[in-house]
Amino acid sequence: NAGVTQTPKFQVLKTGQSMTLQCAQDMNHNSMYWYRQDPGMGLRLIYYSASEGTTDKGEVPNGYNVSRLNKREFSLRLESAAPSQTSVYFCASSSGTGEFFGPGTRLTVL
Amino acid sequence: KQEVTQIPAALSVPEGENLVLNCSFTDSAIYNLQWFRQDPGKGLTSLLLIQSSQREQTSGRLNASLDKSSGRSTLYIAASQPGDSATYLCAVEDSGAGSYQLTFGKGTKLSVIP
C-alpha cells in the first residue's frame, strides 16, 4: 500500500517549456487535489477532482490544467512554464475522513 | 471565505516540556479539522482528524481539541522530544456539498532543544 505517489521528485524547466506532473493513489479515494506550497504563502489549492470524470478550479488555477485519468490517477500540466510557477507541488487524496499527501515535486522554472 | 490562523509562527522549547499549538478559523461551519506535520523537504503527514461532532482526539503524546463555537483548536504535545521538531499545520474542511476542500493555516515551526 504505497498511499499517494508523485513523479518526478525534482524538475528544472526553462521558461516556456511544458511538463506534466503525475500523481496516483491506491486507497480507492474519490477525491484528489493538487496544491502548491510557497514560502510565506502556505498551501494553496490549484485544482481538485471530486470524483472520476470531474475537475474544478481551486484558488490558483491560472497557468495549469488537470486530467483525472481514472480513479487512481490525477495529473497536473503546465503548458508554458513561468518563473512564478517555481514551487513545491503536492498531490493529495481523500474520502471524507482526512486528506493524505504525496511526497511532493520540487519544480524550478528558470 | 474561510481563513485559518496559527499562532505562534515559530516556537522553541527545551526537551521534555509540554506545549500547546493554537489554530483559529473564521467560519465555524466546518466538517472536520485536521492537524498535519511537515518535516523539511518532505510532504505532509496526517496526525489527528477531529470531526465536527467531536471535542478531541488523542494519539500517543498528542491531543487535539476542537471548539467549533469559538473557532479554535489546540494541539497539545506532551513531554516534547527533539524528534518532534517540525512544522505543524492546521487545516479545516468546510461543511456542505463538494469535494472536502481544505483551508490551511501557515503553520507553526517547532524546535525542541535537547
Side-chain angles (χ1 to χ4, degrees), chain A residues 2-6 23-24 89-93 100-105, chain B residues 38 42-45:
Chain A
V4 180
T5 58
Q6 293 182 236
C23 174
Y89 291 85
F90 289 102
C91 177
S93 69
F100 297 85
F101 281 74
T105 294
Chain B
Q38 186 175 29
K42 303 292 186 181
L44 280 69
T45 300

Side-chain angles (χ1 to χ4, degrees), chain A residues 33 37 40 45 48 97 99, chain B residues 34 38 49 99-101 106:
Chain A
Y33 312 82
Q37 186 176 39
L45 183 65
Y48 66 96
T97 56
E99 276 194 25
Chain B
Q34 198 166 357
Q38 186 175 29
L49 172 75
S99 68
Y100 319 117
Q101 296 179 65
K106 294 183 179 179

Side-chain angles (χ1 to χ4, degrees), chain B residues 33-109:
Chain B
L33 183 145
Q34 198 166 357
W35 282 93
F36 295 89
R37 168 186 172 137
Q38 186 175 29
D39 294 288
K42 303 292 186 181
L44 280 69
T45 300
S46 180
L47 297 174
L48 290 164
L49 172 75
I50 311 176
Q51 301 286 0
S52 62
S53 58
Q54 297 174 323
R55 298 280 297 181
E56 65 178 345
Q57 282 287 333
T58 298
S59 176
R61 294 182 294 108
L62 305 180
N63 176 278
S65 67
L66 173 64
D67 184 341
K68 269 184 53 177
S69 61
S70 67
R72 293 179 182 176
S73 176
T74 61
L75 179 66
Y76 175 83
I77 302 177
S80 59
Q81 303 171 357
D84 295 330
S85 297
T87 296
Y88 291 81
L89 295 159
C90 166
V92 299
E93 180 179 325
D94 291 330
S95 296
S99 68
Y100 319 117
Q101 296 179 65
L102 292 181
T103 302
F104 282 85
K106 294 183 179 179
T108 294
K109 185 175 182 179

Side-chain angles (χ1 to χ4, degrees), chain A residues 23-73:
Chain A
C23 174
Q25 53 93 8
D26 60 3
M27 295 175 283
N28 202 35
H29 287 166
N30 287 321
S31 301
M32 297 185 73
Y33 312 82
W34 277 105
Y35 293 90
R36 60 178 289 172
Q37 186 176 39
D38 303 289
M41 301 296 290
L43 276 149
R44 293 181 292 171
L45 183 65
I46 304 171
Y47 269 94
Y48 66 96
S49 170
S51 60
E52 185 179 353
T54 69
T55 60
D56 285 286
K57 296 178 180 179
E59 182 183 353
V60 288
N62 292 343
Y64 305 95
N65 286 298
V66 291
S67 295
R68 183 73 182 268
L69 305 170
N70 46 56
K71 192 170 186 178
R72 290 187 63 249
E73 298 173 288

